[in-house]
Amino acid sequence: RRPCDEDWDQVGQYCIKFVGGTDALNWTDAQAYCRSAGGFLVDDLTSDKNTYLYQAAFKNQFWMGLFNNGSGWMWDRGATQPANLDQDQQFWKGGGGPPPYDANNPCVYFDGAAGNTAQVWTTDSCATRRNFVCQKHRYDQDYHPYSLDSDLLPPGYWYVTVKTSPNSTSSGDWAGCAVSIRVQSSLQ
């Protein structure tokens, strides 16, 4: 994987950038900013990422990629279709499940000032200017396997079967084998 761009932090398979201060934007403009950088507004899908965001926020609030379009809660995915909020672990203010749809407050911010990391998702008007966090995958969108290496496999589904024969070395130990697979995908 490629390294993260300057001013982006590496967090697992993602690059994350906190944007704030005089650069605070409403939710829609923050979404456009992240898309122009090749990413999307940050998601909060796991307890590990939730802990990271809470600690990195340092008691600040910021837009994240969760919103309700009137048909349900969705995660922003940049240029691709939004993803339904269907994860088991959610971090809504007040605990419990998602609030009912409110056309006046369909966007969600992460409340780093909340006293409980499990209750940081808060709804608000999308027009409110806030700090925001972008994320993008660390894959290289411009990688084309055929441009340099004509002996690489074409895209598709591939299956590998490895068979070995018991083969002892001179010391009587079994001689093993290994398979190395490297994959790159533009899936998000």
Side-chain angles (χ1 to χ4, degrees):
R1 295 182 184 262
R2 68 178 180 184
C4 293
D5 297 333
E6 188 176 335
D7 298 328
W8 291 71
D9 298 322
Q10 179 182 328
V11 179
Q13 67 180 351
Y14 297 103
C15 298
I16 293 183
K17 180 176 183 173
F18 285 80
V19 181
T22 58
D23 295 325
L25 299 171
N26 66 48
W27 193 93
T28 305
D29 289 344
Q31 180 189 40
Y33 177 99
C34 294
R35 284 183 182 185
S36 72
F40 46 92
L41 284 166
V42 72
D43 61 35
D44 188 9
L45 301 178
T46 66
S47 58
D48 287 343
K49 193 168 196 183
N50 178 266
T51 299
Y52 166 79
L53 291 171
Y54 188 80
Q55 291 171 349
F58 197 67
K59 300 193 182 285
N60 287 296
Q61 300 171 342
F62 56 85
W63 285 126
M64 52 192 279
L66 190 56
F67 67 100
N68 193 323
N69 62 3
S71 64
W73 293 100
M74 314 285 273
W75 285 111
D76 175 38
R77 287 295 177 250
T80 62
Q81 286 291 97
N84 291 326
L85 173 66
D86 58 6
Q87 67 205 57
D88 291 333
Q89 191 169 22
Q90 299 180 15
F91 308 100
W92 292 102
K93 179 180 180 179
Y101 175 65
D102 177 354
N104 295 318
N105 295 308
C107 293
V108 177
Y109 69 90
F110 188 103
D111 187 358
N116 183 343
T117 60
Q119 297 183 20
V120 292
W121 296 355
T122 306
T123 60
D124 195 11
S125 166
C126 299
T128 305
R129 293 175 59 86
R130 293 191 182 283
N131 298 336
F132 58 97
V133 179
C134 299
Q135 78 178 23
K136 60 184 173 180
H137 291 273
R138 289 181 44 222
Y139 69 87
D140 183 355
Q141 289 179 307
D142 297 323
Y143 177 73
H144 300 285
Y146 304 115
S147 62
L148 298 175
D149 300 314
S150 60
D151 61 341
L152 294 178
L153 291 173
Y157 293 101
W158 295 94
Y159 300 92
V160 174
T161 302
V162 178
K163 291 186 176 185
T164 62
S165 301
N167 189 9
S168 297
T169 63
S170 59
S171 64
D173 294 332
W174 182 76
C177 67
V179 175
S180 175
I181 300 171
R182 296 183 310 182
V183 180
Q184 179 164 328
S185 173
S186 63
L187 296 177
Q188 294 196 30

